[in-house]
Amino acid sequence: MVKLANLDTRWVYLSVFLAVLLPLFRPLGLPITVGEGTKATYAFVENLPRGATVIVSPSFSPSSDAEVLPQMMAMLRHLMSRKARLVWVNLTVEASMYASQAMNALSGEYAYQYGQDYLILPFMPGQQTAIAAMAQDIKHAFSTDLQGNSVWGLEIMKGVQSISDFDMLVDFNTGDTCIYYLQQVQPKGVPVIAGASGVTVPYLMPYLGTGQLSGLLGGLRGAAEYEMASKNPGQALSGMDAQSLSHAAIVVFILVGNVSWVMGRRRQNQAR
């Protein structure tokens, strides 16, 4: 115990570092329970008609993509396995980057073609104003894609006359964009699902309880639950393994440190 009391703290840091790193390369597959919000989200997507037209809105920034990006990738795989047509609406300056990266990573795997199976719209400033414009007159709200090409002659937009022609909208967010969608788009008959960072979840939970939100994913845990529900393990489950193992390592060191301290005190008292 005396040796433990004098343990170089660098060994503690190394142990926690390895506890985080190793599961990322070799996942442990630790089981997790799937929450009600995730179950509702998965069930809703699973019950969409094949070929449904879905708005995907990546309304987050690099500061929160460790939590929200895995949610987006997990749901995209589920949507694309059901041949959903994806229209990317970008309300933040980083959003088109995330849209392009996601489709570059997945389009080949699911044989998706631009203009037929997915479409990336340019950055739309104003957030609430942009969403209100979409809800009022989607054809007037945007006319060109990210590259400046006309969108209304593309195969994916055939049959779309208004916002009500979409089967679902999913907003991956860390702020108020989901609320704006609920205010402007959900009353038009478009079901809204949210993927949110952990600190945003309490803000959105009441909307899930009232039924205004059709589903809600919260933080990295929500992404891992969705991977578990869809039986498609990926980055989120590996991240949860790393989180769990690192927490376990910290708890072990706290327990060992306290036991060492108590034993040392007893020896000092006996020596007096």
Side-chain angles (χ1 to χ4, degrees):
M1 290 297 178
V2 176
K3 291 183 178 180
L4 285 174
N6 297 321
L7 181 68
D8 192 327
T9 55
R10 288 176 293 184
W11 288 108
V12 177
Y13 299 141
L14 178 61
S15 299
V16 175
F17 174 75
L18 292 175
V20 172
L21 185 65
L22 294 179
L24 296 179
F25 288 96
R26 191 178 181 84
L28 304 177
L30 298 175
I32 62 172
T33 56
V34 179
E36 293 302 318
T38 305
K39 288 180 181 178
T41 304
Y42 177 82
F44 191 92
V45 174
E46 185 68 15
N47 290 324
L48 285 173
R50 291 187 70 82
T53 306
V54 176
I55 292 176
V56 183
S57 182
S59 309
F60 59 96
S61 62
S63 62
S64 56
D65 67 8
E67 287 187 277
V68 185
L69 183 59
Q71 299 173 0
M72 188 176 82
M73 298 304 290
M75 190 181 295
L76 282 176
R77 289 184 177 277
H78 191 190
L79 287 167
M80 294 171 77
S81 71
R82 299 192 56 76
K83 299 299 180 183
R85 297 186 297 173
L86 309 175
V87 176
W88 292 83
V89 172
N90 301 309
L91 302 178
T92 63
V93 292
E94 303 93 348
S96 57
M97 173 189 71
Y98 287 119
S100 298
Q101 289 178 350
M103 296 314 301
N104 288 340
L106 298 177
S107 59
E109 181 179 345
Y110 292 93
Y112 264 48
Q113 296 182 13
Y114 188 83
Q116 178 177 326
D117 303 301
Y118 73 99
L119 169 66
I120 302 177
L121 297 174
F123 167 57
M124 299 175 64
Q127 293 196 354
Q128 187 173 18
T129 304
I131 293 170
M134 286 172 49
Q136 183 176 2
D137 186 351
I138 194 169
K139 286 193 171 184
H140 181 72
F142 56 80
S143 57
T144 59
D145 67 2
L146 186 61
Q147 305 303 323
N149 303 310
S150 176
V151 303
W152 294 106
L154 297 176
E155 177 69 24
I156 190 173
M157 299 306 287
K158 287 184 177 179
V160 176
Q161 300 297 322
S162 71
I163 196 73
S164 300
D165 292 318
F166 287 91
D167 297 289
M168 187 185 89
L169 184 150
V170 54
D171 182 41
F172 297 98
N173 71 93
T174 57
D176 294 328
T177 52
C178 185
I179 305 301
Y180 303 150
Y181 280 125
L182 288 173
Q183 292 172 343
Q184 303 289 343
V185 176
Q186 196 264 350
K188 300 288 186 179
V190 182
V192 176
I193 284 176
S197 60
V199 296
T200 313
V201 171
Y203 184 48
L204 295 176
M205 281 296 292
Y207 298 94
L208 182 66
T210 60
Q212 292 170 276
L213 272 177
S214 297
L216 174 62
L217 301 180
L220 183 64
R221 172 64 186 249
E225 290 176 359
Y226 203 90
E227 289 180 357
M228 181 73 72
S230 58
K231 298 180 175 59
N232 196 353
Q235 179 184 357
L237 281 170
S238 297
M240 287 301 296
D241 283 349
Q243 190 177 94
S244 298
L245 194 60
S246 62
H247 288 174
I250 292 170
V251 169
V252 168
F253 279 116
I254 290 173
L255 291 174
V256 169
N258 278 277
V259 169
S260 176
W261 181 82
V262 170
M263 295 297 292
R265 292 282 293 181
R266 286 182 178 178
R267 290 186 178 180
Q268 289 178 4
N269 292 335
Q270 290 174 357
R272 292 176 181 173

